[in-house]
Amino acid sequence: MRPAGLEVDFAALAAPLPMHRGRTDADGWSACARHIAEAGGRLVSLWGSDTSRDEPYVAAAYASAEGLLWVEFELDRAAPAYPDIARLFPAAGRMQRALFDLLGFRAEQAIDVRPWLRHAAWPEDVFPLRRDFDPARRFPAAGDAYPFVTVEGDGVHEIAVGPVHAGIIEPGHFRFSVVGEKVLRLEQRLGYKHKGIERRFIGMDLGQGAQLAGRVSGDSTVAYAWAFAMAAETLAGVEPPPRALWLRALLLERERVANHLGDLGALGNDAAFGFALARFSGLREDWLRDNGEAFGHRLLMDRICPGGVACELDAAGRERLLARADAATGELARMRRIFDEHAGLQDRFVTTGRVTPALAAQLGLCGLAGRASGQAFDLRADFPWPPYDRLAVRKCGHHNGDVAARVELRFDELFESLRLIRALLVGLPDGPLRSELALPALASGAGWVEGWRGEVFVALDSDAHGRIARCHCHDPSWQNWPLLEHAVIGNIVPDFPLINKSFNLSYSGQDL
Amino acid sequence: MWRILREVARHRRVSEALPEPACEWQREGQRIQHEILRVLGRALAIREVDAGSCNGCELEIHALNNPYYNLEGAGIRFVASPRHADLLLVTGPVSRHMETALRRTYEATPAPKLVVAVGDCGCDGGIFGEQSYASCGGVARVIPVDVAITGCPPAPIDLMRGILAAVTARPPD
Ligand code: SF4
């Protein structure tokens, strides 16, 4: 197929969502980016590989009206470079910097060329994802002076926090420029959790790969496991049996509910309403215990495998989960009323940490936070793949883009997920749980799933022996972290934890 | 307000009894536990350090504060600074980018101090491997570890058993 206005032919991947892959050259690369930006498309991910085929390649995945477009072009091994797309898609900036850190592919004429994932662990002329990289090699700690942007002016001072934070949260560094209590600017520095996940994938078999994908970001293990499985199935041309797909959706919605419950409790707590934490963390615990009993893992890790699922649900489990979904719906309705009527909470939530729809569109805010700022994208509703094609998912949305909107949206999505869970439990078809699957040699596949935080994307290339040549996992946090920098401008420093929590972005998922 | 009170009244107390300490998980290096108990009684301040986890372990550590496990009810608190901590609860694998921060946190913790490594990754690097260009592997490769709790992630009940093992005065058999 050839999307209107593009000079590139795309071939459809054998995937349950519309995904197309096309090859081009440097000019085509830029032209595609321009056309897709003008047509209102979004950048989903940007990555590269030196281990998949004879020549290295750089690739971008865009979301367009036609579905996902995977645009790829071959690079010159001697001087691997590609035209910058961050001017069109600002979210590409950090991805391009990471691509250089890991593969040494240079974005020509990029504005910001500071390292992103690389701190001190390896030198700047070594690229861990290159085919000639020796995984046994260790490097002495290199210098680590990161050039932060400084703000000058009367009474401006800096507050630096992290990488180790005060609470039980992931490490990252935040540098605030403030006047009095007011934040003028926030600059993030991430990459502290970089543990070499993408290098680790290379050479793994499918089973190991599925396990690793499920540990890119622990709170989204189901979304990653499904996206990875979808990529493998697309690559192999295999369809999982219907019962497996229904169970996968059940697990994905259960993951969404568990995370929203945790976040609502923490958001209440950050606004000094401890009762919310007690109630929501209790509800979450009930929910996780049900996971453990019904599926054998509280966080649902390793329940989805390439070809199907590795869990079963019996009639008694089904009844229990149905009863819990009903009970939770009632509890949540009461809790929502308490939130709505609590003047202190609303005072902290309303207008705090605001991202306007215009800014969200310009910078590519996605997922849950995007929907709270008028970016009405949800793969489950936009490109409903089985079993969502039978469930008519209601897309939730809001326009205010403040903490209050992100709280509202979590409640809305909770009720919708509980409805979906009931429908999935009632309609669960009988049948086998898994199809046989082996990776064919030298092929590519992709997976695209709406996780609780946003769209998770996986690109997978196999090698000549049917093992993993390259697996790229993309977390929606890549798009959303830069927006957090904007959301805090003009707010007071003590509101930062609340604003941060309302986004609840993944460090591990973007540090890889 | 009456809605909140009604909601409070609707639920009975759910906190469950403490589990038995998992003394079989004790390791060499538990020499200071008698001292901790002598000095601190049973009150314990924990500083959690995420040194590179997938965040799954943190989710279960969070659960320790829910009303079911009610860790604070047992006199065990999470504190914001290593300087106030008796025990470091560390998830891993330790990324090389967190190696220095972890070491500094350990140094900033006043002696006597205990270290509990959490999860398969904290024990030996788990799925992320023993060592790589970006990862140091398990916590014990960077700082001394007293108790190591396996699991991916360990369930809250196992976390409690491991923490209690670290502070229980009973010497390893
Ligand atoms: S032990 Fe499991 S849950 Fe914990 S950090 Fe490692 S992979 Fe994540």
Side-chain angles (χ1 to χ4, degrees):
Chain A
M1 118 181 153
R2 181 174 274 226
L6 292 186
E7 301 280 295
V8 180
D9 288 318
F10 285 85
L13 299 176
L17 291 83
M19 295 199 265
H20 311 271
R21 181 157 150 257
R23 296 202 174 137
T24 180
D25 53 15
D27 290 342
W29 169 266
S30 301
C32 277
R34 231 180 357 260
H35 263 104
I36 293 166
E38 279 163 12
R42 298 172 292 125
L43 177 72
V44 175
S45 185
L46 178 119
W47 73 103
S49 173
D50 186 31
T51 43
S52 305
R53 319 192 221 295
D54 291 340
E55 297 303 322
Y57 73 78
V58 60
Y62 300 98
S64 72
E66 286 95 359
L68 185 116
L69 300 177
W70 166 337
V71 182
E72 171 183 324
F73 90 85
E74 234 173 51
L75 301 177
D76 172 9
R77 182 176 297 284
Y82 59 96
D84 167 79
I85 58 167
R87 284 179 177 78
L88 294 163
F89 298 98
R94 288 177 178 181
M95 300 180 211
Q96 292 181 167
R97 291 160 66 188
L99 183 56
F100 184 81
D101 291 342
L102 298 174
L103 272 157
F105 302 169
R106 195 175 299 279
E108 286 162 339
Q109 275 143 26
I111 296 166
D112 191 345
V113 293
R114 290 175 296 170
W116 181 243
L117 293 183
R118 184 179 65 80
H119 297 187
W122 69 100
E124 66 179 321
D125 55 350
V126 168
F127 305 108
L129 292 184
R130 287 265 177 104
R131 66 168 55 173
D132 56 6
F133 177 82
D134 173 10
R137 244 179 101 189
R138 305 282 172 272
F139 307 93
D144 184 31
Y146 185 76
F148 285 95
V149 176
T150 52
V151 177
E152 289 176 5
D154 248 7
V156 179
H157 68 282
E158 279 190 350
I159 306 174
V161 279
V164 180
H165 296 298
I168 304 171
I169 73 169
E170 301 186 81
H173 184 90
F174 299 115
R175 193 157 296 202
F176 299 91
S177 302
V178 301
V179 167
E181 289 250 279
K182 207 167 142 182
V183 180
L184 295 179
R185 188 174 198 283
L186 163 64
E187 185 171 2
Q188 301 152 354
R189 190 188 185 197
L190 304 176
Y192 289 91
K193 304 190 93 175
H194 178 73
K195 43 195 177 280
I197 290 178
E198 294 193 293
R199 178 78 228 179
R200 186 104 183 123
F201 269 119
I202 298 174
M204 278 187 158
D205 65 30
L206 256 193
Q208 295 166 321
Q211 279 191 336
L212 184 56
R215 284 159 180 79
V216 168
S217 178
D219 57 26
S220 303
T221 180
V222 175
Y224 275 97
W226 194 347
F228 180 87
M230 191 191 288
E233 288 147 11
T234 301
L235 197 157
V238 168
E239 248 180 72
R243 184 173 177 82
L245 292 173
W246 282 66
L247 283 169
R248 282 180 181 182
L250 178 62
L251 300 176
L252 188 68
E253 297 311 317
R254 291 193 65 84
E255 177 168 272
R256 196 180 317 277
V257 168
N259 279 292
H260 287 351
L261 290 175
D263 282 355
L264 285 171
L267 281 160
N269 199 47
D270 278 345
F273 188 44
F275 170 71
L277 181 63
R279 281 308 303 136
F280 280 110
S281 65
L283 283 170
R284 180 178 152 96
E285 179 66 22
D286 293 335
W287 198 256
L288 298 191
R289 287 182 180 193
D290 283 348
N291 281 349
E293 278 185 37
F295 302 108
H297 194 285
R298 286 165 51 91
L299 302 183
L300 306 172
M301 282 174 168
D302 307 325
R303 303 303 105 171
I304 291 179
C305 55
V309 292
C311 58
E312 182 50 302
L313 185 65
D314 58 20
R318 187 145 129 175
E319 287 311 310
R320 198 183 46 242
L321 296 187
L322 270 172
R324 179 77 74 194
D326 288 338
T329 307
E331 293 245 14
L332 285 169
R334 290 195 299 275
M335 285 305 292
R336 180 173 214 171
R337 218 157 153 187
I338 289 174
F339 265 50
D340 285 349
E341 291 176 0
H342 196 290
L345 272 190
Q346 293 307 320
D347 185 48
R348 289 291 302 278
F349 290 170
V350 176
T351 73
T352 306
R354 189 148 188 208
V355 177
T356 62
L359 186 69
Q362 189 194 341
L363 299 186
L365 190 69
C366 70
L368 170 103
R371 288 192 290 278
S373 290
Q375 307 307 298
F377 307 111
D378 184 332
L379 297 179
R380 298 172 301 161
D382 299 339
F383 305 108
W385 73 98
Y388 289 110
D389 56 345
R390 307 278 298 277
L391 299 170
V393 176
R394 186 175 73 87
K395 200 185 315 191
C396 305
H398 212 290
H399 275 85
N400 287 354
D402 52 3
V403 173
R406 291 185 284 276
V407 167
E408 288 277 298
L409 201 68
R410 279 176 169 82
F411 274 114
D412 288 343
E413 296 201 346
L414 267 174
F415 289 115
E416 178 62 1
S417 282
L418 287 166
R419 180 188 75 79
L420 293 172
I421 285 170
R422 277 192 295 266
L424 286 159
L425 286 167
V426 169
L428 188 65
D430 290 327
L433 295 170
R434 201 168 173 175
S435 309
E436 277 306 311
L437 195 161
L439 277 194
L442 300 173
S444 297
W448 198 23
V449 168
E450 189 76 36
W452 74 269
R453 188 182 274 119
E455 41 197 316
V456 164
F457 174 76
V458 170
L460 182 66
D461 297 329
S462 63
D463 69 9
H465 313 286
R467 298 175 81 86
I468 296 172
R470 176 84 172 90
C471 178
H472 172 69
C473 291
H474 180 91
D475 196 275
S477 303
W478 279 102
Q479 273 85 344
N480 291 3
W481 273 116
L483 265 298
L484 180 62
E485 291 185 341
H486 290 266
V488 298
I489 293 174
N491 287 260
I492 56 172
V493 178
D495 271 341
F496 177 71
L498 184 65
I499 299 169
N500 191 17
K501 192 75 211 174
S502 72
F503 282 85
N504 193 8
L505 303 176
S506 172
Y507 300 67
S508 180
Q510 92 100 57
D511 289 355
L512 293 168
Chain B
M1 194 64 202
W2 64 273
R3 263 192 227 289
I4 301 176
L5 291 174
R6 207 176 56 179
E7 196 59 26
V8 171
R10 195 188 289 270
H11 300 281
R12 64 190 169 80
R13 185 183 152 91
V14 295
S15 303
E16 295 164 348
L18 288 177
E20 287 298 306
C23 290
E24 67 278 14
W25 296 348
Q26 285 175 345
R27 289 212 173 160
E28 299 290 324
Q30 273 238 293
R31 65 205 178 282
I32 49 176
Q33 62 185 8
H34 294 276
E35 198 58 15
I36 291 265
L37 280 177
R38 199 178 58 76
V39 176
L40 300 168
R42 288 195 68 88
L44 182 78
I46 298 181
R47 170 68 247 210
E48 199 271 344
V49 184
D50 176 345
S53 78
C54 81
N55 197 31
C57 282
E58 273 65 28
L59 294 177
E60 293 295 51
I61 293 171
H62 267 293
L64 293 174
N65 278 328
N66 78 35
Y68 288 89
Y69 304 109
N70 190 17
L71 206 61
E72 284 212 12
I76 301 176
R77 292 175 305 126
F78 287 94
V79 294
S81 164
R83 296 187 199 285
H84 305 153
D86 310 307
L87 183 150
L88 296 181
L89 192 64
V90 189
T91 61
V94 183
S95 70
R96 288 207 53 211
H97 290 163
M98 281 302 289
E99 189 181 351
T100 312
L102 175 59
R103 226 176 241 127
R104 284 201 191 133
T105 305
Y106 180 77
E107 281 156 15
T109 310
K113 50 193 161 193
L114 291 165
V115 175
V116 175
V118 173
D120 289 350
C121 298
C123 290
D124 64 6
I127 184 120
F128 303 106
E130 264 291 325
Q131 276 182 307
S132 75
Y133 76 95
S135 167
C136 305
V139 177
R141 288 193 183 268
V142 180
I143 57 172
V145 168
D146 298 287
V147 172
I149 308 172
T150 57
C152 181
I157 201 81
D158 288 334
L159 291 169
M160 287 173 80
R161 297 181 73 215
I163 292 167
L164 291 174
V167 294
T168 299
R170 201 150 23 113
D173 295 329

